[in-house]
Amino acid sequence: MAITTCGSVGAHEYEAGNITVEHPWLRSPGDGETTAPLFMIIENKGDTPDKLIGARAAKVGKIVIHADPARIVVAARIVIPPRATVTLVPGGPHVGLHEVTKMNPVGWGFELTLIFEKAGEVTIDASVEAPDAKHAHDAEATERWEKAHGAKKEAEPRRTKSITPTMRITSICTKNTSICTKRMSMRAEKRPMSPHGPQQAQSRRAWQRAVGAERRLTANFEGAAPSPGGVAALAKAYAFSTRAGGRTT
């Protein structure tokens, strides 16, 4: 813990009365751990001392103020002398977050409320650092953490839509029926009547049966009861239409 006379106030500051909290950060719990120590800089701009007496946060079972009796800190309280700054750092006084059930990822912020004896409450957003960070925004510690945890992340297999036999049959039916429709349209609009008139009529009837088969297969795909003979009827109709088309001039 360091004590200095008050100076200029930097960024990431939070104020309550004469107390200013600067650069709060915490170490994220390590794998399998539930404790996160909190550090910060606390400045007292007033003429009387104040004390950090407590804190609270969501998803944290217990918060304990770890003090240093050898200096100006007493048990469960950190004294902030007038016109002075107290720095909470690793290895010294800090606020311990215990029984943490959920912590935001490294690089995010974590909201909690500090309670001072005179200044009252102040809500802060502490930067979440790697478990072995030595200070706020420790890039090297963050890089080590990302490498260690990135190796454990496995790319999720790409999910593809499974194709069932019924879907394949429906696709084939739709394609073949479209071919039958095109052939019949060409005969009716652009080509002269073939001498095989009865065969043309049979081809048209076969095409109509094919359409009915496709509709039955579509109903089957959507969950209706299967229609027997649908696939066979469509295949027979398409084969007959192909033969009839080949003889058409």
Side-chain angles (χ1 to χ4, degrees), residues 56-61 63 97 100-103 110-113:
R56 64 172 180 271
K59 308 298 182 182
V60 177
I63 297 181
L97 279 60
V100 178
T101 58
K102 184 178 180 181
M103 176 58 64
F110 186 79
E111 185 178 284
L112 62 156
T113 300

Side-chain angles (χ1 to χ4, degrees), residues 26-30 32-38 56-64 66 95-104 110:
L26 58 82
R27 286 175 170 171
S28 177
E33 299 179 354
T34 60
T35 300
L38 171 68
R56 64 172 180 271
K59 308 298 182 182
V60 177
K62 181 173 62 174
I63 297 181
V64 178
H66 296 269
V95 178
L97 279 60
H98 302 270
E99 301 174 10
V100 178
T101 58
K102 184 178 180 181
M103 176 58 64
N104 293 339
F110 186 79

Side-chain angles (χ1 to χ4, degrees), residues 148-204:
H149 290 74
K152 298 179 182 179
K153 295 181 180 179
E154 298 180 357
E156 293 185 1
R158 185 176 180 181
R159 296 183 179 179
T160 56
K161 187 177 182 180
S162 59
I163 301 177
T164 63
T166 306
M167 294 171 65
R168 291 193 184 96
I169 293 172
T170 303
S171 177
I172 295 172
C173 293
T174 304
K175 180 180 179 180
N176 291 346
T177 305
S178 176
I179 294 174
C180 293
T181 306
K182 183 176 181 180
R183 288 174 181 267
M184 292 302 300
S185 177
M186 291 174 64
R187 295 190 189 103
E189 297 178 3
K190 298 182 179 180
R191 297 187 178 185
M193 287 297 293
S194 169
H196 308 286
Q199 293 177 352
Q200 290 281 4
Q202 292 179 25
S203 179
R204 284 193 294 271

Side-chain angles (χ1 to χ4, degrees), residues 9-10 12-22 43 45 116 119-124:
V9 177
H12 307 290
E13 64 179 37
Y14 306 88
E15 294 184 350
N18 293 323
I19 294 295
T20 299
V21 177
E22 301 176 50
E43 179 185 2
K45 298 179 181 179
F116 292 89
E121 299 183 357
V122 55
T123 299
I124 64 173

